[in-house]
Amino acid sequence: MKSAVETLNPTRVRLTVEVPFEELKDSLDAAYKKINQQVTVKGFRKGKIPARVIDQRFGRGAVLEEAVNDALPKFYTEAVNEAELSPLGQPDVDITELKDGETLNFTAEVDVRPALEIPDYSGIEVEVDAVEVTDEDVEKSVEQLRERFASTSPVERAAEDGDVVTIDLEAKVDGEVLEDGIANGVSYTIGSGELLDGIDDAVKGLSAGEEATFTSELKGGSAAGKEAEVTVKVTQVAARELPELDDEFAQLASEFDTLEELKADSRKRLANMKQFDQATQAQERVLEKLLELVEVPVPEKLLEDEINTRKHNLEHHQLGQMGLTLDKYLEIQGKTAEEFETETREAAVKGIKTQFVLDELVKKENLNVNQEELTEHLMRRAASSGMSPDQFAQAVVEGGQVPLLVGEVARGKALAVVVEAATVKDTNGEVVDLDDEEEETEAAEASETSETSETSEENAEG
């Protein structure tokens, strides 16, 4: 077999392959055997029909077609490996010549990973938010904890903001009560913004036993997105009582003996959270700077697949779980369909470029992934998916997605290398020293932002 490569553009090549006919022998033998198992010829046992009889009865052309279909993937793969290409997606194959007993010639056009030149990235500088925890931050955190320990007690008065009311609901659309439009004994905190638009105004001022009717767009259920006439009846009004902020509260709400110890712990936790946010911000901004340094051509077919994957995941998974259509989602977001298309395309381009650049860095820096790193990453992914580690691991193995996870970890390590080499300063002008271990962990998580891109490419490469 002989092959040659022609570069059509930075992300697409044409392979020209010439195969001597004798190299088709195994595929021809397999073709005769397959046809033997499928047909019956009087006078011959099944599977024992001579090749010449098959040629006479069914035509040599049918045998050649079967043999070529069997052989093409093998010769295509050999040509790809010989040229050291990284194909993306399935090739467009054209048989240019097939002479029985002489030769098989074909071409294959396919998208490939572009060759990238990673420049010196040690000069990257970014600015991130300073880690500052104010007294107001601490007070807000303690107040949120206080809210969790609030108690309620029934009152004989009209409902007010902050009260917890027990209500019965009935929703009608076009005058008909919905099958799933009745709910009794629902507990609702006035002003929480939960349930339905307009319910706060409807229940405020009502006492136990009173009801009101209002119009609202349903957020879920069988009539999601439709205007409904909702009748709400208040069966109980309860006032919320917050505990006193003292040492007794600290003992009730935490493992600390005093309120000051509780506040000190809150300050420490807030600082840790802001440090995590700062590290995440650093890696995101370093990545943006890195992408600006590298010219990355994007294969159009891969880009279209990525865009379609993102749209599908949004519509059929995220929005579907919330009972929203894409049109309703765009309305809530205040975006036009054109703006959504533009944003989706830009995000897809960035995801693909991120993967290409970080994968190139993995090769350049000779980065490897060990079992411990893969296991830690799997644990994090399992936690974010809501599955147990064992369930997630089983799903990954059964889905053949282990290489995908290895790629995520490797890209995370590559980004960590760049972040470590960059100069990161906070808004106060102070140099931020990011701990290497935390940096790798967070970088690995950040690489999941291009996970959809990788899924599309994995599908394409498969």
Side-chain angles (χ1 to χ4, degrees):
M1 184 197 81
K2 292 192 301 183
S3 64
V5 181
E6 177 188 357
T7 299
L8 303 178
N9 63 49
T11 62
R12 193 166 180 84
V13 299
R14 179 189 291 125
L15 286 163
T16 301
V17 184
E18 298 178 12
V19 183
F21 204 81
E22 56 266 22
E23 294 186 29
L24 285 172
K25 183 180 184 306
D26 289 345
S27 294
L28 278 170
D29 291 344
Y32 280 117
K33 185 175 182 180
K34 182 176 180 180
I35 294 173
N36 241 308
Q37 300 301 322
Q38 295 175 337
V39 301
T40 303
V41 176
K42 190 174 181 180
F44 296 95
R45 286 184 296 164
K46 197 173 186 66
K48 300 295 183 179
I49 308 169
R52 58 179 177 77
V53 175
I54 291 177
D55 289 345
Q56 292 169 357
R57 288 294 185 92
F58 305 103
R60 175 71 168 176
V63 179
L64 288 175
E65 182 180 357
E66 182 67 39
V68 169
N69 288 340
D70 175 74
L72 275 178
K74 179 185 72 171
F75 292 123
Y76 165 73
T77 301
E78 287 181 10
V80 164
N81 293 338
E82 187 177 289
E84 298 182 344
L85 300 175
S86 299
L88 301 169
Q90 298 302 316
D92 295 325
V93 177
D94 181 26
I95 298 174
T96 55
E97 187 176 28
L98 175 58
K99 289 185 178 180
D100 194 357
E102 294 183 29
T103 186
L104 163 67
N105 298 336
F106 68 91
T107 62
E109 289 189 17
V110 67
D111 287 333
V112 293
R113 278 176 175 262
L116 302 180
E117 189 67 38
I118 306 294
D120 179 18
Y121 48 78
S122 60
I124 290 178
E125 294 186 12
V126 298
E127 184 180 75
V128 295
D129 294 336
V131 174
E132 296 174 343
V133 180
T134 66
D135 291 342
E136 184 180 348
D137 292 332
V138 175
E139 294 300 329
K140 183 178 179 181
S141 174
V142 173
E143 190 62 29
Q144 289 173 341
L145 182 62
R146 187 184 180 204
E147 292 275 351
R148 287 169 48 192
F149 283 85
S151 60
T152 59
S153 55
V155 291
E156 298 295 329
R157 60 166 172 77
E160 301 173 355
D161 264 328
D163 285 344
V164 178
V165 289
T166 304
I167 54 177
D168 297 335
L169 295 165
E170 181 184 84
K172 294 180 180 179
V173 173
D174 298 329
E176 296 291 330
V177 178
L178 299 172
E179 288 186 13
D180 55 355
I182 297 176
N184 296 322
V186 176
S187 180
Y188 176 68
T189 301
I190 300 175
S192 65
E194 300 171 354
L195 289 181
L196 299 167
D197 292 338
I199 193 169
D200 288 336
D201 291 336
V203 296
K204 275 192 292 188
L206 297 183
S207 299
E210 296 180 337
E211 63 181 48
T213 300
F214 64 101
T215 301
S216 183
E217 184 178 295
L218 299 179
K219 296 180 180 179
S222 62
K226 292 185 178 180
E227 288 288 329
E229 183 182 86
V230 182
T231 300
V232 54
K233 180 178 180 181
V234 176
T235 58
Q236 179 181 276
V237 178
R240 298 177 76 249
E241 298 177 358
L242 296 174
E244 290 293 325
L245 277 178
D246 52 23
D247 292 347
E248 187 176 336
F249 167 70
Q251 295 164 17
L252 169 69
S254 71
E255 71 271 28
F256 301 106
D257 293 327
T258 68
L259 183 60
E260 287 307 310
E261 289 175 328
L262 173 60
K263 288 184 176 181
D265 181 69
S266 294
R267 186 178 295 276
K268 180 180 178 181
R269 284 188 297 102
L270 289 170
N272 289 338
M273 289 170 58
K274 291 197 175 189
Q275 285 172 348
F276 181 88
D277 291 342
Q278 185 188 63
T280 302
Q281 193 179 65
Q283 68 179 20
E284 290 173 349
R285 294 183 179 178
V286 167
L287 176 60
E288 288 174 3
K289 292 280 189 179
L290 177 64
L291 294 180
E292 290 174 6
L293 294 176
V294 187
E295 185 68 32
V296 187
V298 176
E300 192 60 36
K301 178 64 168 61
L302 180 64
L303 176 58
E304 293 306 318
D305 288 345
E306 168 66 358
I307 291 171
N308 291 333
T309 297
R310 287 174 181 260
K311 287 180 179 177
H312 178 85
N313 289 341
L314 176 65
E315 289 190 65
H316 299 280
H317 297 294
Q318 298 167 354
L319 297 184
Q321 292 175 354
M322 295 186 288
L324 292 176
T325 64
L326 179 58
D327 288 341
K328 185 59 185 175
Y329 167 76
L330 294 180
E331 181 184 328
I332 294 172
Q333 294 292 314
K335 295 178 184 176
T336 65
E338 291 74 19
E339 289 171 334
F340 170 72
E341 290 288 339
T342 299
E343 289 180 5
T344 303
R345 176 171 286 269
E346 289 175 351
V349 168
K350 182 179 179 181
I352 293 171
K353 286 185 175 182
T354 296
Q355 184 181 338
F356 283 173
V357 170
L358 294 182
D359 282 347
E360 190 65 30
L361 265 169
V362 168
K363 289 193 294 183
K364 180 179 179 180
E365 302 292 345
N366 295 316
L367 300 176
N368 296 309
V369 176
N370 61 41
Q371 186 60 49
E372 182 181 356
E373 291 167 335
L374 183 60
T375 300
E376 289 177 359
H377 184 63
L378 187 147
M379 298 282 280
R380 286 195 299 271
R381 287 291 306 277
S384 64
S385 70
M387 301 170 67
S388 72
D390 287 345
Q391 289 174 324
F392 187 79
Q394 182 177 353
V396 166
V397 173
E398 291 178 353
Q401 300 299 303
V402 173
L404 188 145
L405 255 66
V406 172
E408 289 176 3
V409 178
R411 280 191 287 280
K413 294 180 71 172
L415 182 53
V417 169
V418 184
V419 173
E420 185 176 358
T423 300
V424 181
K425 293 183 179 180
D426 65 21
T427 48
N428 294 329
E430 298 292 328
V431 174
V432 177
D433 183 17
L434 298 169
D435 180 81
D436 289 346
E437 183 176 348
E438 290 181 357
E439 186 177 297
E440 280 191 19
T441 297
E442 292 157 3
E445 293 171 342
S447 74
E448 294 163 26
T449 61
S450 61
E451 176 193 340
T452 306
S453 302
E454 181 175 0
T455 302
S456 293
E457 187 176 332
E458 280 293 319
N459 293 337
E461 290 175 338

